[in-house]
Amino acid sequence: MLMNANPIISVTDLHKWFGMLHVLKGISFTVEPKEVLVIIGRSGSGKSTLLRCLNFLEAPSSGTIDVAGQTVTTRPGLRLDHQKVVSLRLNTGMVFQEFNLFPHMTVLENVIEGLRTVKKIPKDQAIPIGMKYLEKVGMVDKRDVHPIRLSGGQKQRVAIARALAMEPKVMLFDEPTSALDPELIGEVLDVMKTLAYEGTTMIVVTHEMGFACDVSDRIIYIDHGLIVEDGTPDQLFGNPQDERTRQFLEPIFKTRNF
């Protein structure tokens, strides 16, 4: 993690309502360049909603989000600045639980689609970029294969390459291994570990506590739409300060060896 730098992400007083359901209740935090932030919490605590709000896949109800100098403020009655949202999204790459690959396109075509349609890069210039990131995730040999012929782990690695190809400032991962069979989880986590060690700024929502312990610089524990605890892996895993964090982690440590 790069210390004493200006935050690359700043989130201030973020709220999200779904009708009468108050899902995010005034979330505030920052992320430094090259930092790996892992978000943990029980199902339904607001983790994925928070991640989706960061790049406006879900429009926040109120609050301010800044990613790499692109700032968007929302509040009731305030019309979103569409151009600012587009600029903010270009700074964030998103990897989902499901792979969301286009089935009619080859692996390489999937990876370069955003380059061609969003960045308007000609195909002959987009292909070398796509190949660069397929090589990074170990999928060059599958460039001409369609997704139906790939394993879940291979599909997720292609999805990571697709997000990286847009060369975002920040990578967001929403439980990227939750849809995978246990024997395929490792290959995706290995790619993510490599990105972290190379200095990629990452926010990761995950239940993989071994990854959180080994790779993250900081861990946030969210409960019912609130940040309950924020600290280093040693702090949260070694001596959690809040009883809710302790109760969440206790059964995990009974079944897993760190």
Side-chain angles (χ1 to χ4, degrees):
M1 180 175 64
L2 185 64
M3 302 301 292
N4 300 319
N6 293 324
I8 194 168
I9 299 173
S10 295
V11 178
T12 305
D13 197 25
L14 186 67
H15 291 260
K16 178 60 181 179
W17 293 81
F18 289 105
M20 298 297 291
L21 183 61
H22 197 183
V23 178
L24 301 177
K25 304 171 182 176
I27 296 283
S28 298
F29 65 92
T30 60
V31 179
E32 304 296 325
K34 300 186 180 183
E35 187 172 20
V36 178
L37 174 67
V38 169
I39 301 174
I40 63 174
R42 301 181 190 280
S43 296
S45 61
K47 308 183 301 297
S48 293
T49 298
L50 171 58
L51 211 63
R52 293 172 66 85
C53 283
L54 292 182
N55 67 353
F56 285 80
L57 288 175
E58 294 284 356
S61 300
S62 64
T64 299
I65 298 171
D66 183 290
V67 179
Q70 294 294 331
T71 304
V72 181
T73 296
T74 59
R75 61 177 181 269
L78 179 65
R79 185 174 181 179
L80 273 180
D81 186 321
H82 178 69
Q83 188 55 52
K84 284 187 176 182
V85 170
V86 170
S87 297
L88 185 147
R89 283 178 177 160
L90 286 173
N91 285 328
T92 61
M94 185 83 169
V95 178
F96 301 89
Q97 298 177 33
E98 300 295 337
F99 324 113
N100 295 332
L101 300 178
F102 295 112
H104 63 287
M105 293 183 178
T106 66
V107 162
L108 180 58
E109 288 169 342
N110 267 281
V111 171
I112 67 173
E113 178 66 10
L115 295 172
R116 298 186 64 197
T117 60
V118 178
K119 290 193 170 183
K120 308 299 183 185
I121 296 176
K123 183 177 181 179
D124 62 331
Q125 296 176 32
I127 286 175
I129 299 173
M131 291 297 291
K132 171 185 173 181
Y133 289 104
L134 283 175
E135 183 175 7
K136 181 177 283 290
V137 302
M139 291 294 293
V140 168
D141 61 326
K142 303 293 186 182
R143 57 170 287 176
D144 296 321
V145 174
H146 285 80
I148 195 171
R149 303 182 68 87
L150 301 178
S151 70
Q154 290 172 329
K155 290 176 183 177
Q156 194 61 294
R157 283 190 281 155
V158 173
I160 293 172
R162 177 181 58 187
L164 290 171
M166 298 295 285
E167 299 185 334
K169 302 291 180 61
V170 176
M171 286 288 290
L172 309 176
F173 293 86
D174 185 11
E175 299 192 30
T177 61
S178 65
L180 301 179
D181 293 332
E183 66 271 19
L184 301 177
I185 290 173
E187 67 186 74
V188 173
L189 292 180
D190 285 344
V191 170
M192 294 171 64
K193 288 176 182 178
T194 298
L195 295 176
Y197 296 145
E198 290 175 351
T200 305
T201 306
M202 299 164 59
I203 301 180
V204 184
V205 171
T206 186
H207 291 288
E208 295 295 328
M209 294 300 150
F211 175 87
C213 187
D214 294 341
V215 180
S216 69
D217 297 297
R218 277 169 56 221
I219 300 174
I220 285 176
Y221 176 66
I222 291 183
D223 185 62
H224 290 91
L226 294 167
I227 293 178
V228 171
E229 198 152 352
D230 181 345
T232 66
D234 286 346
Q235 289 169 338
L236 261 77
F237 290 127
N239 186 28
Q241 298 300 300
D242 191 279
E243 181 61 28
R244 289 166 291 184
T245 313
R246 190 174 293 109
Q247 290 178 357
F248 174 75
L249 292 174
E250 186 176 18
I252 295 170
F253 279 95
K254 287 181 178 178
T255 57
R256 302 195 184 197
N257 181 21
F258 294 102

